[in-house]
Amino acid sequence: MAEQAINFEAFKLNKQLLNAIAEAGYSTPTAIQEKAIPLGLAGHDVLGIAQTGTGKTAAYVLPILMKIKYAQGMHPRAMVLAPTRELVMQIEAVCKDLGKYTDLRVVCLYGGLGPKTQIEQIEAGVDLIIATPGRFMDLYKKGVILTRELKTMVLDEADKMLDMGFLPQIRAILEIIPVKRQNLLFSATFSDKVERLSAEFLEFPERVEITPSATTAETIAQVKYFVPNMRTKINLLEHLLENEEINRAIIFTRSRKNAEEVSSFLLRKKVGEVRVIHANKGQNTRINSMEDFKAGDVRLLVATDVASRGLDVTMVSHVINFDVPLIYEDYVHRIGRTGRAENEGKAITFINPAEVWHFEKIEELIRMDVPEVTIPKSVKITETPFAEQQIYARELDKLKQRENPDYKGAFHEKKAKPKRNIGKGEKVKAKKSGKKKNRNQLKTKNRKN
Ligand code: AMP
């Protein structure tokens, strides 16, 4: 039987952080978090080799928040350096999310706008600074920042910082901060340059590495469908279960709520025996469901990633990604459950308008364009309910802001006007080279609507 995945309680984080983690929807630590959080908490220097999409940000943010705990004094006690303004803002978002029950003061420093507000924020007192190296040095030279209290220092996306020519600034910063401190360095790759920097920056580091298992087994046939909404996803699922030769399938959802919704639908439809596993199900229930499924008595297993991690289920004919995973590595894990040991397998992914962006990232990770299949005519494509349209619009705004921090967001301005659906005639088609266009088409549609 699979080992039980560890949960965040095992790290002995404080209540404020555990509550925020639960509210952020993280139920189980990702691989990099499982390895790096205990090391960070124990005060070690850490060398983390991990890409975006692995949960690396929370892997260093949580130990920092735990260490600096609450607002104290006027000067920064921890600092994260990152190559770009976009990344600085993403890290800030994670700090704000996970630190929401603390009174910690987080200040972001980056170029592209005047320093006045940033200076005022620092002067009002700060606990954690997230900065690009250039802007940090500018303000330091102006005498705005006192570094004497800095005890923890993170270099995030170190490889990118070096590629962008930040080494002189990084070296200058290391000169002006206290020698006695904890250092963490994260990088997607471990090039010679990164190795040299880590030798300068880290002392007896513990190395943790998450190598993306980016190659997907060749025996797995992958396809994707662009589906406008939840209801249509359900209709399509029903169609596939009735018309494709699906012996045993795992259906992955992103949340417990969706797992419950999908499984109760399948139970009503009587498309075969169904079990559901997610983090809210007791351990025994989960084990029994797994055993029934493995024994072949059950045709369909609906699961969240959390519940299925580490479970050894093989010989599945189909993996259906009802939702696109936000931890992109999970895509590889999910579809790895089919096509094992020379068995032909099929992986089918349903992608709603807000998931297009994430799936493109997955395609980059696995280095392939997954072929699109058009929704069959017999599947009813329903109108997207207003509330659901709003959720997508909000998610798309968030993603656009991630790419361009100046983007103000269309959501609030257009709140009053219901958006039109992406219906059958408007379905987005993925052409072989049309990935970018694809996303833009969706953006344009949302703007027009
Ligand atoms: P990162 O690699 O830090 O950019 O994180 C990628 C995404 O994973 C972000 O959207 C995070 O909110 C999300 N995430 C991070 N840790 C977890 C977790 N333990 N469970 C679920 N989602 C997570």
Side-chain angles (χ1 to χ4, degrees):
M1 190 63 221
E3 61 206 81
Q4 163 78 327
I6 70 159
N7 58 27
F8 280 97
E9 272 85 19
F11 297 134
K12 307 224 175 339
L13 297 164
N14 61 33
K15 259 256 139 331
Q16 285 90 332
L17 293 178
L18 288 175
N19 288 343
I21 289 167
E23 277 175 37
Y26 304 178
S27 5
T28 318
T30 63
I32 188 84
Q33 291 164 359
E34 197 174 320
K35 292 182 183 170
I37 291 175
L39 295 169
L41 288 173
H44 289 286
D45 275 15
V46 175
L47 169 62
I49 307 296
Q51 301 181 320
T52 305
T54 54
K56 68 172 167 71
T57 318
Y60 64 76
V61 164
L62 284 168
I64 291 182
L65 297 181
M66 184 69 190
K67 197 164 159 186
I68 60 178
K69 270 200 184 81
Y70 46 80
Q72 200 183 323
M74 295 300 287
H75 308 297
R77 288 172 291 140
M79 172 150 89
V80 181
L81 290 181
T84 61
R85 170 181 172 180
E86 290 73 21
L87 186 61
V88 166
M89 295 179 73
Q90 275 178 48
I91 299 167
E92 181 193 29
V94 174
C95 293
K96 291 252 151 88
D97 252 11
L98 299 179
K100 68 201 275 199
Y101 295 117
T102 72
D103 59 352
L104 287 166
R105 298 153 301 173
V106 180
V107 175
C108 290
L109 310 177
Y110 45 75
L113 73 176
K116 193 165 165 279
T117 315
Q118 296 172 0
I119 294 175
E120 283 167 8
Q121 286 173 331
I122 294 173
E123 287 176 342
V126 51
D127 301 291
L128 168 62
I129 285 185
I130 307 165
T132 54
R135 176 52 66 98
F136 174 83
M137 258 339 246
D138 289 349
L139 295 185
Y140 176 79
K141 284 183 188 152
K142 280 189 204 292
V144 181
I145 307 167
L146 199 89
T147 55
R148 168 180 86 199
E149 314 280 334
L150 273 178
K151 299 254 172 7
T152 310
M153 174 84 174
V154 182
L155 301 185
D156 196 1
E157 298 201 357
D159 45 354
K160 199 158 173 200
M161 284 204 274
L162 295 174
D163 289 345
M164 289 170 73
F166 280 134
L167 186 59
Q169 282 100 326
I170 293 174
R171 285 211 170 113
I173 294 170
L174 297 183
E175 290 289 314
I176 55 159
I177 60 176
V179 180
K180 216 169 145 355
R181 55 168 201 264
Q182 181 184 15
N183 302 298
L184 301 102
L185 184 149
F186 284 80
S187 176
T189 55
F190 194 60
S191 61
D192 291 349
K193 278 200 259 175
V194 173
E195 191 170 356
R196 279 199 296 277
L197 175 64
S198 57
E200 273 182 48
F201 176 60
L202 303 169
E203 265 188 56
F204 306 111
E206 297 279 347
R207 181 180 168 132
V208 292
E209 185 162 1
I210 305 302
T211 32
S213 32
T215 39
T216 43
E218 279 173 9
T219 46
I220 307 172
Q222 300 171 57
V223 296
K224 66 186 173 197
Y225 289 87
F226 290 104
V227 192
N229 50 46
M230 174 85 178
R231 184 68 231 176
T232 311
K233 281 189 177 184
I234 290 205
N235 295 345
L236 178 59
L237 179 63
E238 183 184 5
H239 172 90
L240 294 176
L241 292 175
E242 280 170 356
N243 294 285
E244 288 221 359
E245 227 176 85
I246 298 180
N247 298 327
R248 259 156 29 100
I250 307 188
I251 300 158
F252 283 101
T253 63
R254 82 152 71 166
S255 63
R256 290 172 215 165
K257 184 170 160 282
N258 282 8
E260 284 296 338
E261 240 174 280
V262 169
S263 65
S264 51
F265 172 81
L266 294 175
L267 285 171
R268 279 202 307 279
K269 286 288 166 182
K270 305 204 168 34
V271 283
E273 281 280 317
V274 183
R275 295 283 186 280
V276 57
I277 53 171
H278 54 61
N280 261 20
K281 297 271 172 193
Q283 176 71 352
N284 283 343
T285 317
R286 276 199 255 172
I287 292 175
N288 291 340
S289 301
M290 287 308 312
E291 292 302 328
D292 294 346
F293 185 68
K294 272 165 77 175
D297 307 338
V298 170
R299 183 188 184 206
L300 303 170
L301 181 70
V302 183
T304 57
D305 291 299
V306 164
S308 74
R309 255 177 220 145
L311 294 175
D312 176 34
V313 190
T314 51
M315 315 270 285
V316 173
S317 67
H318 287 66
V319 162
I320 300 175
N321 296 311
F322 189 86
D323 299 311
V324 173
L326 297 185
I327 299 278
Y328 306 140
E329 275 281 297
D330 281 339
Y331 179 80
V332 182
H333 297 154
R334 286 180 182 187
I335 74 169
R337 297 180 180 283
T338 176
R340 284 194 178 185
E342 312 303 316
N343 288 301
E344 275 280 315
K346 192 162 181 187
I348 302 169
T349 304
F350 298 171
I351 305 169
N352 74 25
E355 291 171 331
V356 173
W357 192 88
H358 294 292
F359 199 74
E360 283 178 7
K361 294 276 174 215
I362 289 171
E363 290 180 321
E364 275 170 31
L365 176 76
I366 61 173
R367 293 188 289 275
M368 74 174 276
D369 268 340
V370 173
E372 186 206 344
V373 180
T374 313
I375 302 177
K377 289 216 159 45
S378 53
V379 173
K380 187 168 176 348
I381 295 181
T382 61
E383 291 268 311
T384 309
F386 182 61
E388 202 173 328
Q389 289 176 36
Q390 300 245 305
I391 292 170
Y392 297 154
R394 215 177 276 135
E395 280 184 24
L396 285 168
D397 266 1
K398 240 202 264 174
L399 295 172
K400 281 186 215 164
Q401 259 156 358
R402 236 198 236 185
E403 287 185 335
N404 171 16
D406 293 327
Y407 179 76
K408 294 284 180 286
F411 176 70
H412 293 291
E413 295 150 36
K414 302 201 168 172
K415 208 169 170 184
K417 232 199 235 172
K419 289 182 194 251
R420 202 153 47 86
N421 299 302
I422 298 176
K424 203 165 202 161
E426 297 172 273
K427 250 186 344 269
V428 184
K429 278 234 169 86
K431 304 244 161 48
K432 213 166 175 1
S433 59
K435 261 170 68 174
K436 279 277 167 298
K437 194 165 146 230
N438 205 355
R439 184 162 84 218
N440 292 338
Q441 277 178 341
L442 265 175
K443 282 183 181 168
T444 324
K445 275 187 213 315
N446 274 297
R447 232 177 285 132
K448 270 197 298 200
N449 290 339

